[in-house]
Amino acid sequence: MIAIPASIVPLVLMVLFTHVTLEDLLSVGIIPFILSSAAVMGRVLLQAYRFKYFIRKFIGHDVSTTSKTISARLGSEFVSQTTPSYIGGEIVRIAWLTKRGVPPGRAAWITTIEIISDVFVGTILGVISGIFAVINGGYLIGSIVILLSIPTFAFWFLLVFFSAKKNLRLPSFVEKIIQKVLRGEKGRNIVRSTNTAIADLCLMSRENFTPSSSAMKTFAIGIAITVVAFVLQGISFMVLVNAVGNGIPPLGLFDSLMATSASTVLATVPITLGGSGLAELGIWAYVANLNSIPTLEDI
C-alpha cells in the first residue's frame, strides 16, 4: 500500500521540475514508445524470474506460487526506485520471504545473491563504460564512473570472501547504538536476531561459495540473466534516442549499453530517491562525450 503511492513520487517530481511537455512525449512516437517500454518490462520480468530461480535453487522449493513470487519482486521494484541506492527493495523482499517461513538469514542470502549479481555485472560494465568514456575524451565522467565502480565491487567481494571464512556480526558500536535507542529487552532482541540472521547468511555463504558447489552454476546462470537485463535497459534507451533524433547522431546498442551502465553506477550514490536526476545526468554526460551534445534538453 505504501509502495504504490511512493512509486509515483519520481514521476510527480519530473512533471513539476523538468521542461518535458506533452509534445516532447508525443515526439517519440507510439511504436518506439511501446518497444522501449517492452524492453524495460522485459528487464523487470527477468529480475523477477531470477528472484524465483534463486529461491528454488537455494531454499530447495518454491515458497509461494509463481505469480505471487513475481508480483512480490515487481512490487519491491517500486520501493527500489524510491529509496536511495535502491536499498528499499531488498528489505521488502526479505520481509516477504520471512513472512512465508524462510529463516531471516536465508532470506537475506537470496537478496544478497541478487545484489552481488547486479553489482558484479553493473560494476564491470561500469568500468568498461568509464574506460571508453576516457578514450573518447570524457575524462571527468569516465573517471567518476570508474572510481565509483571499483570500491563498490571491492566491498561486496570482500563481504562474500569474509562471510565464507568466518561468522560476521554487527559491529560493537552499532550494537551499542541500537541498545541505546531501543532500551531494554527490545534492543537486545533486535541485536540478537540480527546477529543470528548474519550468522545464517555466513553459513549459506560457506555452503555455496566453494569451487565444487553446484551453487556456482546457479550463480553463473543468475549472472547471465543479469547481463541480458542490462542489455534490455540499453535497448530501451537506444530506441528512444534514435526515435527522437533532435540532431543527435544514431546511437548503437553498445554505446547505449555503456551510457545506461554508467548512469546506473551514478544512480547508486545515496543522494536522491531511486537515483532520480543522477541517472539522467550520467546518461547525458556519457552520451555528450560521444556526440558532442551541448545541453541536457537534447537527451
Side-chain angles (χ1 to χ4, degrees), residues 31-149:
I31 300 300
F33 181 81
I34 292 175
L35 291 175
S36 179
S37 299
V40 172
M41 285 304 301
R43 176 183 66 84
V44 176
L45 288 173
L46 269 179
Q47 291 175 323
Y49 172 76
R50 184 187 64 185
F51 180 56
K52 174 180 170 56
Y53 176 73
F54 283 155
I55 290 174
R56 189 170 65 250
K57 290 296 183 179
F58 290 116
I59 303 300
H61 59 86
D62 290 325
V63 299
S64 187
T65 63
T66 298
S67 60
K68 288 183 178 179
T69 303
I70 291 177
S71 295
R73 184 59 175 80
L74 295 177
S76 72
E77 192 67 17
F78 285 110
V79 183
S80 293
Q81 298 300 322
T82 53
T83 51
S85 297
Y86 310 127
I87 58 174
E90 283 75 23
I91 296 173
V92 171
R93 293 195 289 278
I94 291 174
W96 185 84
L97 287 169
T98 53
K99 190 175 181 180
R100 278 148 187 81
V102 179
R106 289 180 175 265
W109 170 257
I110 298 297
T111 56
T112 299
I113 287 297
E114 283 200 292
I115 294 172
I116 292 171
S117 298
D118 287 331
V119 167
F120 187 82
V121 175
T123 53
I124 288 178
L125 288 175
V127 170
I128 295 173
S129 68
I131 292 172
F132 272 88
V134 171
I135 291 174
N136 283 278
Y139 301 108
L140 180 59
I141 182 63
S143 300
I144 291 174
V145 171
I146 292 172
L147 290 175
L148 288 175
S149 297

Side-chain angles (χ1 to χ4, degrees), residues 19-34 36 238-248 297-299:
H19 301 291
V20 177
T21 64
L22 180 60
E23 183 181 353
D24 295 326
L25 296 176
L26 294 176
S27 68
V28 175
I30 296 297
I31 300 300
F33 181 81
I34 292 175
S36 179
M238 179 187 70
V239 170
L240 289 178
V241 170
N242 293 336
V244 174
N246 214 22
I248 304 172
E297 284 76 8
D298 290 322
I299 291 296

